Amino acid sequence: MDLARTEVSPRVRSGAARLGLLALPVAFFGVFFAYPVAAIVSRGLRTGDGWQFGRLWDVLGDAGIRQVLWFTTWQALVSTALTLLIALPGAYVFARFAFPGKQVLRAVVTVPFVLPTVVVGTAFLALVGRGGLLDELWGVRLDTTVWAILLAHVFFNYAVVVRTVGGLWAQLDPRQEEAARMLGASPLRAWRTVTLPALGPAVAAAALMVFLFTFTSFGVVQILGGPTFSTLEVEIYRQTSEIFDLSTAAVLTIVQFAAVGAVLAVHAWTVRRRESALRLVDAATTARRPRGAGQWALLGGVLASVAVLLVLPPAVLVQRSLAGSGFGYYRALTKDDGGVFLVPPIEAVGNSLSYALAATAIAVVVGGLAAVALTRRDAGRFVRGFDALLMLPLGVSAVTVGFGFLIALDEPPLDLRATWILVPLAQALVGVPFVVRTMLPVLRAVDVRLREAAAVLGASPWRAWREVDLPLVRRALLVAAGFAFAVSLGEFGATVFIARPDNPTLPVAVARLLGRPGELNYGQAMALSTILMVVCAVALLVLERLRVPDRTGEF
């Protein structure tokens, strides 16, 4: 056989092209994630005498640091338990009940998840802080207690449980539970022995994601915790920006990195169980109108909890932004006070939109290429490993990434510290995982035989993707872009380090205003938070109209 004339099979060509697509995502994460994180860890633990690994035990032996570690873990566990307790009834209602306004309510429930943490913290400050609604009505303040943080975390993560568990619950065959009831099982026993085991992987996946988000909480704790409460993320920020102790910050970064890696590994395992262990039915056939007083009471209770926990804080935020002088706080945003900012605060709106659009473009390109490369389930170990690494920016300290940008990207050929692109690059790191997770299920649903047929007919991998995959995933691509835009708009942990004083973003502007005393600064913070909330809510409503369900009925 003449090997020189042997043609490479379409499957081999497709695999090689898929690996080639990973080149840009791997380079992007290597340069703008791994390198900055490694730079700050190296700067903190390496001296002229070499690596100082003994510093690990010195830091972890400090009583104050141990208290931070304990509070970080404790509040994350309690926040996760409270979120599951409050949100699981909501997941059942969305899965099994059909009622007027359900789609609108679904959007209302999801809005808090896309809100920036700074807005969430500000909203709860307006509700439970000094001079807040509860303080005015009953003289009750919670901003000096851990309850404000816990409730804010439930507010933020309610949609995670409803989307993850409710999406699967809607597709479980209700006849299995009905059969158990006919055999004499009580409603509780039927649910405990039939439905709960089937929901187990989804509940575990939701719990792990809530734990991850609350374990790495920054904006909420920074605003509501004050000097009393500090998570690992807040302590890393304090050590880098206030105390300038990079060695302690490096140790805490390593600890958080290890914890997040363990959580993501367990989460990946639960997701695989969830994907392979169940036979599902069409979600449209399982929802029905509530029947009986008990089901109507459950629906009413869920609606009441949504109104109090999810609607009231943003409503109070809007009310506080209009308090006293109507739109006076909004008009004040157009003036340069020469104090907090070098420019009028309203310019933060344009800055945030510009940065978010640039970050979205970067995230869609990088995340889209990664999603296409990860489409095949029989991909190699390197590809599967990179799939897991894509999730790390969601859990690794954004503060570390931001400060690492300043340290690592300050000399040629990557001297970007004085350029505008630094902020979108940091924001895109958070947006890429959302793009991948949105597009990957849809790409995997495309019949591989269509791609192979196009390759056999002589189409290049790019042309095959353009003419086969793109028409099928266009809506998913738009949804992915919307999610990337929303999360980029609200990114705070990294941006607080790298946003220039003359070009602040909305979250940074809100935090700076809240950090200064005075009624005007407080009112302007409420006004800017309201603007940011409205922009994110509009983006989400657009996403709801474009929503592309995967095999579990959700993103």
Side-chain angles (χ1 to χ4, degrees):
M1 180 183 295
D2 186 0
L3 296 178
R5 301 176 59 87
T6 302
E7 293 187 0
V8 180
S9 70
R11 184 179 295 273
V12 172
R13 282 193 299 159
S14 176
R18 196 169 277 113
L19 287 175
L21 292 174
L22 276 180
L24 179 61
V26 169
F28 178 80
F29 273 84
V31 173
F32 299 113
F33 178 69
Y35 178 45
V37 172
I40 194 171
V41 172
S42 175
R43 182 73 63 92
L45 294 181
R46 191 173 184 178
T47 65
D49 299 327
W51 290 94
Q52 304 296 321
F53 291 109
R55 182 62 178 156
L56 289 167
W57 309 116
D58 294 339
V59 172
L60 296 178
D62 182 84
I65 297 299
R66 288 202 305 270
Q67 179 61 33
V68 170
L69 291 172
W70 165 246
F71 176 75
T72 301
T73 306
W74 174 84
Q75 64 82 26
L77 289 171
V78 175
S79 296
T80 302
L82 279 176
T83 303
L84 290 174
L85 180 65
I86 296 174
L88 281 177
Y92 175 78
V93 165
F94 278 104
R96 294 304 197 202
F97 291 172
F99 53 90
K102 181 177 177 179
Q103 293 303 318
V104 175
L105 187 63
R106 183 190 296 273
V108 170
V109 165
T110 311
V111 164
F113 181 69
V114 300
L115 289 183
T117 56
V118 171
V119 173
V120 176
T122 306
F124 273 82
L125 196 64
L127 178 63
V128 304
R130 176 181 297 178
L133 181 64
L134 296 185
D135 191 15
E136 288 184 353
L137 295 178
W138 299 295
V140 175
R141 287 183 56 193
L142 297 178
D143 60 323
T144 57
T145 71
V146 73
W147 280 105
I149 296 173
L150 298 178
L151 291 175
H153 284 162
V154 175
F155 170 90
F156 187 76
N157 293 292
Y158 187 97
V160 175
V161 177
V162 169
R163 291 271 181 168
T164 305
V165 180
L168 178 60
W169 209 335
Q171 292 187 289
L172 292 181
D173 192 343
R175 292 175 295 183
Q176 297 179 4
E177 190 172 325
E178 292 170 357
R181 293 284 306 278
M182 293 179 62
L183 293 174
S186 66
L188 178 60
R189 184 179 181 185
W191 180 81
R192 180 169 52 84
T193 58
V194 177
T195 304
L196 183 58
L199 288 176
V203 173
L208 286 167
M209 289 306 296
V210 173
F211 180 85
L212 178 64
F213 290 138
T214 53
F215 187 84
T216 58
S217 181
F218 177 60
V220 167
V221 180
Q222 178 80 350
I223 293 174
L224 297 176
T228 307
F229 303 107
S230 179
T231 57
L232 267 176
E233 188 85 351
V234 174
E235 188 64 21
I236 292 171
Y237 174 76
R238 191 173 73 89
Q239 294 290 338
T240 52
S241 65
E242 298 178 8
I243 303 177
F244 304 106
D245 186 350
L246 289 187
S247 63
T248 299
V251 171
L252 297 180
T253 297
I254 292 172
V255 171
Q256 183 167 318
F257 188 86
V260 167
V263 171
L264 289 177
V266 176
H267 179 264
W269 177 72
T270 60
V271 168
R272 285 196 296 271
R273 283 185 59 202
R274 175 184 166 195
E275 287 182 347
S276 60
L278 300 171
R279 288 185 60 188
L280 306 176
V281 298
D282 186 358
T285 65
T286 62
R288 61 189 182 189
R289 289 182 61 83
R291 295 183 298 186
Q295 291 189 354
W296 282 107
L298 176 61
L299 176 59
V302 168
L303 293 177
S305 66
V306 168
V308 172
L309 185 63
L310 304 185
V311 176
L312 183 59
V316 174
L317 175 63
V318 175
Q319 186 271 330
R320 285 292 184 269
S321 73
L322 299 172
S325 55
F327 289 94
Y329 293 138
Y330 291 89
R331 288 192 293 269
L333 296 176
T334 63
K335 301 176 182 178
D336 183 5
D337 64 358
V340 182
F341 307 103
L342 300 179
V343 295
I346 194 64
E347 291 194 13
V349 178
N351 295 335
S352 286
L353 292 175
S354 300
Y355 288 144
L357 287 172
T360 299
I362 297 171
V364 166
V365 172
V366 175
L369 290 174
V372 173
L374 296 171
T375 299
R376 283 185 57 181
R377 294 183 180 276
D378 59 346
R381 182 176 300 177
F382 170 77
V383 175
R384 292 196 302 271
F386 187 69
D387 186 13
L389 290 176
L390 287 171
M391 295 294 291
L392 282 179
L394 294 180
V396 172
S397 170
V399 170
T400 299
V401 174
F403 198 68
F405 268 37
L406 295 182
I407 292 176
L409 306 179
D410 64 341
E411 57 185 9
L414 289 173
D415 187 4
L416 304 177
R417 193 162 56 176
T419 64
W420 67 271
I421 195 63
L422 206 59
V423 173
L425 287 172
Q427 294 173 341
L429 281 172
V430 184
V432 167
F434 286 91
V435 173
V436 174
R437 287 292 162 258
T438 301
M439 294 188 62
L440 196 55
V442 181
L443 284 169
R444 283 177 172 168
V446 177
D447 192 340
V448 68
R449 291 172 297 182
L450 296 176
R451 301 189 188 104
E452 293 175 348
V456 169
L457 293 174
S460 65
W462 162 247
R463 184 178 179 184
W465 186 87
R466 189 181 70 239
E467 297 187 6
V468 175
D469 292 67
L470 184 59
L472 298 174
V473 303
R474 184 179 290 114
R475 292 182 67 195
L477 184 63
L478 293 174
V479 171
F483 270 117
F485 177 80
V487 298
S488 299
L489 198 64
E491 205 287 321
F492 176 59
T495 308
V496 70
F497 277 99
I498 57 181
R500 292 160 50 182
D502 57 340
N503 286 291
T505 63
L506 277 170
V508 172
V510 170
R512 290 180 183 173
L513 286 167
L514 287 175
R516 295 192 66 185
E519 181 181 346
L520 180 61
N521 289 319
Y522 179 82
Q524 287 180 295
M526 297 293 160
L528 276 180
S529 296
T530 300
I531 293 172
L532 185 51
M533 179 178 66
V534 169
V535 173
C536 290
V538 169
L540 179 68
L541 291 175
V542 173
L543 293 182
E544 281 296 309
R545 296 185 64 86
L546 295 172
R547 190 161 57 94
V548 183
D550 66 10
R551 288 170 299 172
T552 63
E554 297 297 332
F555 286 112

